[in-house]
Amino acid sequence: MSESTTSDPETGDAQMRDQGEPEGQKWLSGIVSLIGLWIVVSPFVYEAAAEFTWNNVAVGGAIFLLAGYNFYRIITAHPTSTSVMSLVALLALWILVAPFALEGQFAMEGLEVAAAGLAWSNVVSGIVGAVLAAYIAYAAGRRAPAGTPAGAR
């Protein structure tokens, strides 16, 4: 963990403040961001119906930007945003179920609409992205200092 020195504007005293994040959280956030980028690109690699293309572009773009934002927060010595990474986990879960839920069909019939490659790509990307994002949010939530108000991270 890294520490940074801050100065109290009223007293002028320097105090040590722990703002660092574990190195692993930084790289996991970067990996989740790249998973979001893959989700955006995957409909153009595989054949996909228009619904899946727009869903992947919108949700994958959000995952890419939000996880990238968390990566940026960590490298600039700010704490991980548990709410952002929780949202990323939920978006990744949506990508996981989207091939089955779009077109109003929550069943294997949804695979007929999308290419099987894209569907499996979404399933794997959704599982990996959700697990990593949930872990980052969980690990960051456990590191909240005593006395931090609920919802402040």
Side-chain angles (χ1 to χ4, degrees):
M1 290 207 279
S2 66
E3 293 185 343
S4 64
T5 304
T6 59
S7 131
D8 186 355
E10 293 178 11
T11 64
D13 293 336
Q15 32 182 316
M16 296 300 282
R17 183 170 54 146
D18 180 19
Q19 287 186 324
E21 293 289 327
E23 191 72 13
Q25 282 188 26
K26 175 175 77 172
W27 293 112
L28 289 177
S29 292
I31 291 169
V32 173
S33 184
L34 291 176
I35 289 171
L37 186 60
W38 167 249
I39 292 169
V40 169
V41 172
S42 63
F44 304 105
V45 174
Y46 301 106
E47 290 183 29
E51 304 85 29
F52 291 105
T53 300
W54 288 111
N55 180 64
N56 276 31
V57 168
V59 177
I63 291 171
F64 173 71
L65 292 173
L66 292 170
Y69 166 73
N70 195 59
F71 179 83
Y72 173 77
R73 283 180 60 91
I74 294 171
I75 64 172
T76 58
H78 291 86
T80 295
S81 175
T82 55
S83 57
V84 165
M85 292 314 290
S86 297
L87 177 59
V88 168
L90 290 174
L91 290 171
L93 287 175
W94 168 250
I95 284 294
L96 169 66
V97 300
F100 311 106
L102 290 178
E103 294 291 320
Q105 302 169 356
F106 191 81
M108 293 301 285
E109 297 168 14
L111 289 177
E112 295 171 1
V113 177
L118 179 62
W120 281 109
S121 174
N122 279 4
V123 167
V124 171
S125 299
I127 289 171
V128 174
V131 167
L132 292 179
Y135 171 75
I136 294 166
Y138 171 76
R142 291 180 44 93
R143 294 189 69 239
T148 301
R153 294 190 103 195

